[in-house]
Amino acid sequence: MTTRHVQPSTRCFALGVTDNVSMNTAFQSPASTDVMAPGALAGVKVLDLSRVLAGPWCTQTLADLGAEVIKIERPGMGDDTRAWGPPYLKDTQGGDSSEAAYFLGANRNKRSIAIDLAAPEGQALIRQLALQADVLVENFKVGDLARYQLDAQTLRALNPRLVFCSVTGFGQTGPYKDRAGYDYAIQGLGGLMSVTGERDDLPGGGPQKVGVAVADLFTGMYATVAILAALRHRDLTGEGQVIDMALLDTQTAMLANLGANYLCTGVAPKRMGNAHQNIVPYQVFEASDGHLILAVGNDAQFAKFCELANHPEWAQDSRFARNADRVRNRELLVPQLAECIKTRPRQTWLSALEAAKVPCGAINNLAEVFDDPQVVARNMSVTVPHPLNPELRLVASPIKLSATPVQYRRPPPLLGEHGDEILAAMGLSDDEVQTLKSKGVVG
């Protein structure tokens, strides 16, 4: 498909949007909301055509860091995750609203406009926004955006400075590129479920997915890193670039030490339950009144544990003295450790181990997590005012920056909440906006 640069006087569509409109204002918040110091990414304009989790997780991180993010959603439906409940946000009367907690967890600090990409006028609006964007993030199926002339080649011909990030299940190349990709399937296909779950020879053994969508989340974070690298390159050269992020690639990369274990030995690791493949003891143990984690990372820590357990001889035993020996002889050592740990209450062990600086931990449910004094001290939940509930609690960002801290400028948006202000900033009159609405182009 041939593309060309649109001349400044060319009208994008018949309703009056022209390329010589100052588009910077479309991405800027109204002055009344600009009361915080600029974030690290202040001035970076992100056009978010993604939905569900991997893409929105990336754009939420960029938004937390100060970028201005416009989220493009489908009129009448919006992001799929708006309906992925219960649970839903409780309104001020305590009833369920239309906003699913899933959506709320990945879309703060964004503005929303609902645009029908199937309509030529909607496509023109997106192209017009892309003319002044620094970053575009999308997770459509491979080739879908080309049907609307919203693909990387077309948009970067119009705006060569654009960083265009595609997030798909399998990437833009390869025999699987046309497949739909979902986190659950990727955890299986990418090997994670082969090493997650109880050992096959024990009760409950078998493949197990991780409790959160880690392939999506890791892909979102890798995409964020890639975008920042591309912006650095763009600032040095003036040229944007295309980023091709795939869930399967990310899942393969995040096998980390287990992937390295296989590539070094040719032996595929197996499921180990709560035990570690390369370190012993590093697993869950049962105390007399509950479970705890013992995470001995080196031989000195093991010797300290043996003293606390009143079994100093273990640290002197040639079968257990070094970690490599303990890994080879885990079937001999672990049952002895388990029998010993069962003799004392959990908190007795935790207090003694912490005092001796032997890594250990409780196993908290989420209520206990958000009540934990360390989590509270680190401000890992945040309350933001939402139009449907002024006391919306969200999980906070873990990023701690001394000079440009993360800011919570906006709650997750209602569907199309900011459409009128974005269109007005693009130079459309009230009549033109109403015409678009009557045709279902915007919602």
Side-chain angles (χ1 to χ4, degrees), residues 158-199:
L158 299 173
N159 178 7
R161 291 176 59 82
L162 181 66
V163 173
F164 191 107
C165 179
S166 294
V167 179
T168 58
F170 300 97
Q172 303 294 308
T173 60
Y176 299 167
K177 66 181 179 65
D178 294 321
R179 292 187 186 180
Y182 297 92
D183 177 276
Y184 201 158
I186 297 296
Q187 287 194 37
L189 188 62
L192 186 60
M193 292 176 64
S194 76
V195 295
T196 304
E198 189 51 87
R199 286 170 26 180

Side-chain angles (χ1 to χ4, degrees), residues 76-356:
M77 297 181 62
D79 190 310
D80 304 57
T81 61
R82 287 185 180 274
W84 284 12
Y88 295 95
L89 173 65
K90 298 294 183 182
D91 60 26
T92 53
Q93 282 73 47
D96 283 344
S97 72
S98 60
E99 302 295 289
Y102 197 122
F103 174 85
L104 298 173
N107 288 285
R108 64 170 169 256
N109 282 333
K110 306 176 187 180
R111 291 189 292 164
S112 169
I113 181 171
I115 300 177
D116 182 5
L117 299 191
E121 299 95 331
Q123 297 158 22
L125 286 172
I126 299 300
R127 283 192 288 274
Q128 193 71 5
L129 288 168
L131 281 173
Q132 62 93 42
D134 298 292
V135 178
L136 186 149
V137 179
E138 60 90 11
N139 63 349
F140 284 76
K141 292 180 181 178
V142 173
D144 268 9
L145 288 181
R147 296 183 299 155
Y148 307 133
Q149 297 185 53
L150 298 175
D151 55 298
Q153 181 179 357
T154 301
L155 295 183
R156 292 201 62 253
L158 299 173
N159 178 7
R161 291 176 59 82
L162 181 66
V163 173
F164 191 107
C165 179
S166 294
V167 179
T168 58
F170 300 97
Q172 303 294 308
T173 60
Y176 299 167
K177 66 181 179 65
D178 294 321
R179 292 187 186 180
Y182 297 92
D183 177 276
Y184 201 158
I186 297 296
Q187 287 194 37
L189 188 62
L192 186 60
M193 292 176 64
S194 76
V195 295
T196 304
E198 189 51 87
R199 286 170 26 180
D200 289 343
D201 60 338
L202 294 177
Q208 183 69 51
K209 74 177 184 69
V210 178
V212 294
V214 289
D216 275 335
L217 296 172
F218 269 70
T219 303
M221 294 308 298
Y222 270 112
T224 303
V225 173
I227 287 168
L228 296 178
L231 287 173
R232 168 69 170 162
H233 174 264
R234 194 277 308 272
D235 290 346
L236 292 173
T237 67
E239 285 290 322
Q241 59 183 292
V242 178
I243 300 170
D244 177 8
M245 296 299 308
L247 269 67
L248 182 58
D249 293 353
T250 299
Q251 178 59 79
T252 302
M254 60 183 272
L255 292 172
N257 60 298
L258 298 187
N261 287 356
Y262 168 73
L263 293 175
C264 284
T265 66
V267 178
K270 297 180 180 179
R271 282 179 285 276
M272 293 292 294
N274 287 314
H276 197 287
Q277 300 272 357
N278 301 107
I279 309 172
V280 174
Y282 201 102
Q283 65 187 78
V284 171
F285 287 96
E286 185 178 359
S288 63
D289 60 348
H291 291 83
L292 60 86
I293 296 167
L294 178 63
V296 169
N298 58 49
D299 297 338
Q301 291 172 357
F302 181 65
K304 289 181 180 179
F305 167 78
C306 293
E307 290 291 337
L308 292 174
N310 296 323
H311 284 283
E313 72 277 6
W314 288 339
Q316 306 302 317
D317 191 317
S318 62
R319 298 170 299 174
F320 310 140
R322 299 180 306 158
N323 180 68
D325 301 317
R326 294 193 294 275
V327 171
R328 295 188 184 99
N329 295 292
R330 72 167 76 223
E331 301 300 333
L332 294 174
L333 176 61
V334 169
Q336 296 181 65
L337 301 181
E339 184 177 353
C340 174
I341 291 173
K342 274 187 178 180
T343 63
R344 303 179 199 173
R346 177 176 61 174
Q347 193 54 53
T348 299
W349 278 115
L350 292 175
S351 297
L353 292 167
E354 288 166 1

Side-chain angles (χ1 to χ4, degrees), residues 353-372:
L353 292 167
E354 288 166 1
K357 300 190 183 308
V358 176
C360 61
I363 301 173
N364 290 337
N365 61 37
L366 294 199
E368 293 166 328
V369 169
F370 287 104
D371 283 340
D372 186 283

Side-chain angles (χ1 to χ4, degrees), residues 21-22 25-26 113 418-430 433:
V21 173
S22 175
T25 54
I113 181 171
H418 306 96
D420 286 354
E421 69 183 46
I422 292 169
L423 294 172
M426 293 172 68
L428 274 71
S429 68
D430 289 344
V433 172

